[in-house]
Amino acid sequence: MLLNFETPEIISLTEVDSTNNYIANLVREGKLCKTTIVSADYQHEGRGQRATKWQSSKAQNALFSIYTPWKHLKLEDQFVVSMLVALSIVDTLQRHVTSEVKIKWPNDIYVDSKKIAGILIESDLNGQQVSSSIIGIGLNINQTYFDAAIRATSLKLETGQNHDRAGLIQQITKNLMLRCEQLLDEPDFFNVVKQQYLNKLFGHKQYISVIVKLGNAPLTIKPLDVTRAGLLLAVDASNQLHSFDVKEIEWVI
Ligand code: BTN
């Protein structure tokens, strides 16, 4: 897999609208061409997946985006980036917590059935190639109060201790670079990464409840696999195979 990771420059901000937006502006102005990390203590317009907001207390958590140009990354392979980022966060967090860190498809990070980190990847395309990505990561670290409705946790809630925010950003980035480097000469990189991803997938080969948005009907499914395009493949209670797009299902955890 041909990825382009160099030792990244780190820009640390006190406050910004969104670290993803900050990088997108630099790219638009032609000021960014190599791997760069932007982190912030606070975002007043933090963005989540599917046009949601990412809210985070001031100077408690990790809010950062990694900009990376890619070499020869095909559009059809972009779900690999999502899997690699999720796995790098799992690698990092698992060294600190005893409960199992899981990936809720497609790329939410969960501990004890509660969300601890979210990922928002925004990519630029050049024909059928992904030319660069902005990989936004929000990781709950030292925050201990969360709205009950969002079922979230943090490293502090899981371990009882405060953790070094900058250190964790470095560890996640390092783990991501390591994982990318390991794939450089791997022709079957999709299946290699997919196997590691499935090993960490929340509910893999277990029956779990989801709400299918198309009909709004609750359904019990057993997630089995993911496709190259990132669709979730799962069987229902009568063993019928379904494939889901991210907008089609809502998790009931
Ligand atoms: C999600 O789970 O909905 C994704 C959340 C991603 C949040 C991070 S925080 C840093 C970066 N900047 C943003 O505005 N969003 C991402």
Side-chain angles (χ1 to χ4, degrees), residues 60-147:
Q60 299 287 297
N61 303 315
L63 303 166
F64 67 109
S65 303
I66 306 169
Y67 169 77
T68 184
W70 303 111
K71 276 186 194 160
H72 315 301
L73 176 62
K74 291 186 195 143
L75 181 57
E76 69 206 47
D77 287 329
Q78 66 176 334
F79 186 61
V80 171
V81 177
S82 187
M83 293 194 287
L84 284 171
V85 175
L87 284 166
S88 309
I89 300 173
V90 173
D91 296 340
T92 307
L93 296 184
Q94 200 62 78
R95 286 201 213 119
H96 297 277
V97 302
T98 44
S99 303
E100 240 197 306
V101 185
K102 290 284 189 183
I103 304 166
K104 183 168 75 62
W105 176 83
N107 60 12
D108 286 337
I109 311 299
Y110 269 65
V111 177
D112 288 335
S113 298
K114 291 184 187 140
K115 184 160 170 172
I116 194 163
I119 302 166
L120 176 68
I121 303 177
E122 297 174 303
S123 296
D124 265 338
L125 308 180
N126 185 359
Q128 290 303 301
Q129 301 279 315
V130 183
S131 47
S132 64
S133 298
I134 301 171
I135 301 165
I137 299 172
L139 166 64
N140 300 331
I141 300 183
N142 296 323
Q143 184 171 337
T144 50
Y145 173 78
F146 296 94
D147 193 312

Side-chain angles (χ1 to χ4, degrees), residues 9 11 22-36 38 67 69:
E9 187 194 335
I11 302 171
Y22 187 90
I23 289 185
N25 287 335
L26 290 181
V27 174
R28 214 170 293 129
E29 291 162 10
K31 291 185 183 155
L32 219 55
C33 52
K34 60 182 185 124
T35 306
T36 305
V38 173
Y67 169 77

Side-chain angles (χ1 to χ4, degrees), residues 18-20 43 46-49 54 64 108 115 118-119 136-138:
S18 147
T19 53
N20 272 36
Q43 299 182 128
R47 294 188 288 113
Q49 291 160 21
W54 185 260
F64 67 109
D108 286 337
K115 184 160 170 172
I119 302 166
I137 299 172

Side-chain angles (χ1 to χ4, degrees), residues 176-217:
L176 180 59
M177 290 168 74
L178 259 176
R179 280 190 168 271
C180 290
E181 272 164 31
Q182 282 163 2
L183 292 175
L184 279 176
D185 297 319
E186 177 53 69
D188 193 19
F189 61 86
F190 173 75
N191 283 310
V192 170
V193 178
K194 186 181 84 169
Q195 212 42 61
Q196 295 166 353
Y197 175 88
L198 291 178
N199 288 340
K200 296 290 171 188
L201 187 66
F202 179 86
H204 186 226
K205 294 189 177 166
Q206 292 163 19
Y207 279 106
I208 50 173
S209 268
V210 296
I211 292 175
V212 180
K213 293 247 187 87
L214 293 174
N216 253 335

